Amino acid sequence: MFKIKGLHTILSTLSIAAMMVVASSCIGDASVAKKRGVVKDFSVVDGNEEGCGATYLNYTSPYDTCTSSCSAGSATVAGFHLATTAELAKVKTDLVTDGNTALLTIVNGSANLCMPDVTVETRPTNAIDIKSDFCSCINGKSDIINNCDAFCALKTPSDQPILYVNTLMGTEIALNTKLGNLHNWCTVQLADDDTNPNCSVVATDGLNTITLPANTTAGSNSFNVNILSLAVNRTWILKLVETKTGSGAQSKEFQINRQVQKTDSNDVLGALKTTPISQYTCMTYGGKVDASGNIIRTTFARIFYYFASNEDPAPVAPSVGSNQSQIVCHDEQLHPGADSALYPRMELIPTSFAMWDKSDTRFVALPVNNNKLTINKILSDRLSAEYNMNGVDIDLFRLVSYPNRPSTATTTTSTTIPLGYIMVPFTETGTGKTYCPGPTEFTGNQPLLNLLGEYMDQTEGIYLAEKQAETFLDGSTPKTLYGTMFVRESTLKSYGFYIENGLKIRANTASMNTKTIYYYWPTSTTADPLTEGGRKLFTVRAPNTLNGNVPTGQPTNVQTSDKRIGCVPKS
């Protein structure tokens, strides 16, 4: 270690040099003139008046010490480091800004600077960069979209999705003698800390925020974290945060997207197939028999029937002899006489509502799946593989059957056939109210709903309603008919009402859970939904209170708060 001329010495030398120039004009000897202005400064040893030359300047006041090394154990005092390119550039910029040209000359005349180590007692924030090679692995396979197959193949297989992340420390951490690396940033208590620090990974998808414990190792700039609770097929933004001392210090953010791990039971992926369910009307006539034995129609009642759109029902069998049929399911004015498979059904509504299509192969119960529907087995397997929820028995979908045409005296086969699948409704914790999920629930924090969102879009409730009783004469015998109708949740919210203190009040979600709901049929976008206007009154009822046709297959063990029998695709 050696000294260079101080700033005051430089200024003194410049003054002496000026006087020498003046004095030289009086000297006639040329040999003397050749040495004008040259002054030997014996305060400089192996250095020069413009810096440290090939060695380093200790950048502390009085800025006059040169050294060959900045590291501890050398001739210099411990606690210095060789300036980084950024630090050197900042020093020079600050000197130019301050107009300190003398010190700038010394800095420029040195090979580099020995900078004092930084000891900050506040944990730096946003000073940790995330390398792009992060990977998450489960069972030896990549769990995220980031080209991790080769990395995960070398990891010991685990049934937990573990995210591995490498980081880069900024100078505020790397040069801090108390920190220096990620592990210390997460674990070393600083003067400003009231307690020992700890790091967590904070993840958000825009709607949900989840905090996960992070794991680091001594001397390392890497961490890992179990991300089992982060839903798949969703973009998550992550950051490492010191969460225990209250410092709020954090890393830069990065994002991941977990992907579905295929299993033997879910080779078929994508949305479940849906099918429209059609509604049509049949007229049941009453009347009397004349003297010749002919049936004369005098009264009638409408009854509704349903069928999947690709399974048209068989026509009504013709009546005996010349008698008019007591049951008619086609337009007799357009097509007089007996019914035919070529005739459209009366008052046909092609898409009254929708169900999940029973032809989808995931609605098949296989021995390999313990005779469970394949879709139920898929969901059980994925809850286990992706959320570590083992042994969850899923039974969400039910096949619903209903008469697709009326029974007659000549009918020899059952008219009740499978329509399609409905889903069991969900129940709110605390309120006990039932609901059918949509995008909001599919992106929430419930694992089963997260998975269902990959197989369906918005769903809605399906209800059963009963028409006010109608009586007619069958010959001389009076008969009473009740008509059952499937009605969608959206229809009830648009046209439903309840009665309170003799007044009709429009229904909403709250009243549907606490009141008896009515509506007039057919509905109309132009007619007042609270005015009868020659229409028929229907009452929403639970299945076990119906008097007419009752569908089979829907859940009946628990009655829902608003009488919905299940959830169907919203059409």
Side-chain angles (χ1 to χ4, degrees):
M1 183 169 65
F2 46 89
K3 301 288 186 178
I4 65 172
K5 186 179 300 178
L7 295 180
H8 65 284
T9 308
I10 293 174
L11 296 176
S12 299
T13 302
L14 293 176
S15 299
I16 295 171
M19 291 188 289
M20 290 292 291
V21 171
V22 174
S24 68
S25 62
C26 302
I27 299 175
D29 190 335
S31 63
V32 175
K34 289 180 181 179
K35 295 185 178 182
R36 69 181 65 167
V38 177
V39 177
K40 177 70 173 175
D41 185 354
F42 292 96
S43 69
V44 177
V45 181
D46 294 333
N48 62 74
E49 63 184 28
E50 294 184 347
C52 293
T55 59
Y56 309 134
L57 171 67
N58 274 15
Y59 198 67
T60 57
S61 181
Y63 307 105
D64 62 354
T65 302
C66 298
T67 181
S68 59
S69 174
C70 297
S71 61
S74 67
T76 186
V77 178
F80 285 79
H81 64 273
L82 188 65
T84 64
T85 302
E87 286 180 304
L88 185 60
K90 186 177 186 303
V91 166
K92 293 182 178 181
T93 299
D94 290 345
L95 292 175
V96 170
T97 301
D98 296 341
N100 194 343
T101 57
L103 184 52
L104 180 62
T105 299
I106 294 176
V107 170
N108 285 332
S110 303
N112 204 337
L113 307 178
C114 288
M115 299 294 293
D117 288 339
V118 179
T119 302
V120 179
E121 293 297 337
T122 300
R123 188 166 280 95
T125 188
N126 291 316
I128 302 174
D129 289 313
I130 305 298
K131 288 187 175 182
S132 61
D133 59 353
F134 51 85
C135 284
S136 176
C137 307
I138 184 171
N139 296 320
K141 298 180 180 179
S142 176
D143 182 59
I144 62 172
I145 303 173
N146 200 29
N147 297 320
C148 294
D149 291 340
F151 175 87
C152 292
L154 299 176
K155 285 291 181 182
T156 301
S158 168
D159 61 358
Q160 301 294 300
I162 306 299
L163 176 65
Y164 301 89
V165 182
N166 298 316
T167 67
L168 288 172
M169 299 297 103
T171 55
E172 303 98 311
I173 299 174
L175 303 179
N176 189 319
T177 55
K178 286 195 173 182
L179 300 179
N181 57 60
L182 180 68
H183 178 72
N184 290 347
W185 186 85
C186 285
T187 60
V188 171
Q189 185 173 2
L190 301 177
D192 289 350
D193 296 336
D194 294 330
T195 185
N196 289 326
N198 190 48
C199 280
S200 300
V201 171
V202 178
T204 179
D205 63 353
L207 294 174
N208 309 284
T209 299
I210 299 175
T211 300
L212 307 168
N215 304 300
T216 62
T217 54
S220 172
N221 285 330
S222 301
F223 69 91
N224 64 71
V225 57
N226 188 322
I227 57 173
L228 179 65
S229 57
L230 303 186
V232 297
N233 288 341
R234 191 180 308 174
T235 298
W236 292 93
I237 298 175
L238 281 64
K239 59 186 176 183
L240 188 69
V241 181
E242 194 288 297
T243 52
K244 193 171 181 181
T245 68
S247 69
Q250 62 184 39
S251 72
K252 302 290 180 61
E253 294 180 336
F254 64 107
Q255 68 179 38
I256 65 171
N257 193 311
R258 295 189 63 205
Q259 59 187 355
V260 175
Q261 297 294 311
K262 289 186 176 181
T263 65
D264 293 339
S265 65
N266 68 345
D267 293 334
V268 181
L269 301 176
L272 295 169
K273 185 180 178 182
T274 63
T275 184
I277 303 298
S278 299
Q279 173 187 296
Y280 74 100
T281 301
C282 287
M283 299 286 196
T284 298
Y285 287 97
K288 59 183 180 180
V289 180
D290 64 14
S292 301
N294 297 315
I295 298 174
I296 301 174
R297 295 173 180 170
T298 57
T299 56
F300 67 89
R302 280 184 169 86
I303 302 295
F304 300 119
Y305 298 92
Y306 296 88
F307 62 93
S309 60
N310 61 346
E311 297 178 341
D312 287 3
V316 175
S319 59
V320 179
S322 59
N323 289 326
Q324 292 178 308
S325 176
Q326 281 188 279
I327 298 176
V328 178
C329 300
H330 70 285
D331 190 328
E332 289 184 305
Q333 292 183 341
L334 293 177
H335 306 286
D339 197 1
S340 168
L342 301 178
Y343 300 159
R345 300 299 83 194
M346 187 186 301
E347 298 177 352
L348 178 67
I349 302 176
T351 307
S352 177
F353 60 99
M355 285 183 168
W356 283 284
D357 197 329
K358 59 183 182 287
S359 68
D360 190 312
T361 56
R362 287 166 290 185
F363 287 119
V364 176
L366 299 174
V368 70
N369 294 333
N370 298 321
N371 291 318
K372 295 175 60 175
L373 292 181
T374 300
I375 182 60
N376 288 332
K377 182 65 163 56
I378 289 173
L379 293 170
S380 294
D381 288 349
R382 290 191 59 187
L383 284 174
S384 176
E386 298 170 35
Y387 293 93
N388 201 30
M389 297 174 62
N390 300 313
V392 179
D393 186 24
I394 301 297
D395 186 17
L396 279 181
F397 297 92
R398 307 294 177 85
L399 182 62
V400 172
S401 298
Y402 194 81
N404 70 340
R405 63 189 182 96
S407 299
T408 65
T410 57
T411 299
T412 58
T413 58
S414 172
T415 60
T416 299
I417 64 167
L419 297 177
Y421 281 87
I422 65 173
M423 182 171 65
V424 176
F426 290 80
T427 303
E428 292 180 356
T429 302
T431 67
K433 295 179 180 178
T434 48
Y435 67 93
C436 292
T440 299
E441 291 76 21
F442 295 147
T443 55
N445 57 8
Q446 296 296 320
L448 178 56
L449 290 172
N450 295 156
L451 296 179
L452 280 176
E454 300 176 31
Y455 300 99
M456 62 186 64
D457 295 317
Q458 179 71 56
T459 65
E460 65 175 332
I462 190 73
Y463 299 76
L464 295 171
E466 187 172 76
K467 184 175 61 171
Q468 199 164 321
E470 296 178 294
T471 302
F472 64 96
L473 287 175
D474 183 8
S476 60
T477 303
K479 286 188 176 181
T480 301
L481 285 182
Y482 296 87
T484 301
M485 175 186 282
F486 286 93
V487 58
R488 300 186 300 171
E489 182 176 1
S490 53
T491 299
L492 291 178
K493 288 183 176 179
S494 296
Y495 304 103
F497 62 89
Y498 63 96
I499 300 174
E500 188 169 73
N501 296 325
L503 298 177
K504 297 175 184 176
I505 303 173
R506 294 286 293 272
N508 55 25
T509 301
S511 60
M512 288 172 65
N513 282 277
T514 58
K515 307 290 184 180
T516 298
I517 305 301
Y518 307 88
Y519 64 94
Y520 290 113
W521 183 265
T523 59
S524 171
T525 57
T526 58
D528 182 352
L530 304 182
T531 302
E532 180 176 357
R535 298 178 294 175
K536 298 296 184 180
L537 180 67
F538 280 77
T539 304
V540 177
R541 297 194 182 281
N544 58 358
T545 65
L546 291 173
N547 296 286
N549 289 325
V550 180
T552 59
Q554 84 280 359
T556 56
N557 54 334
V558 178
Q559 183 171 309
T560 59
S561 60
D562 62 352
K563 303 183 181 70
R564 74 181 68 204
I565 64 169
C567 302
V568 296
K570 189 170 184 178
S571 55

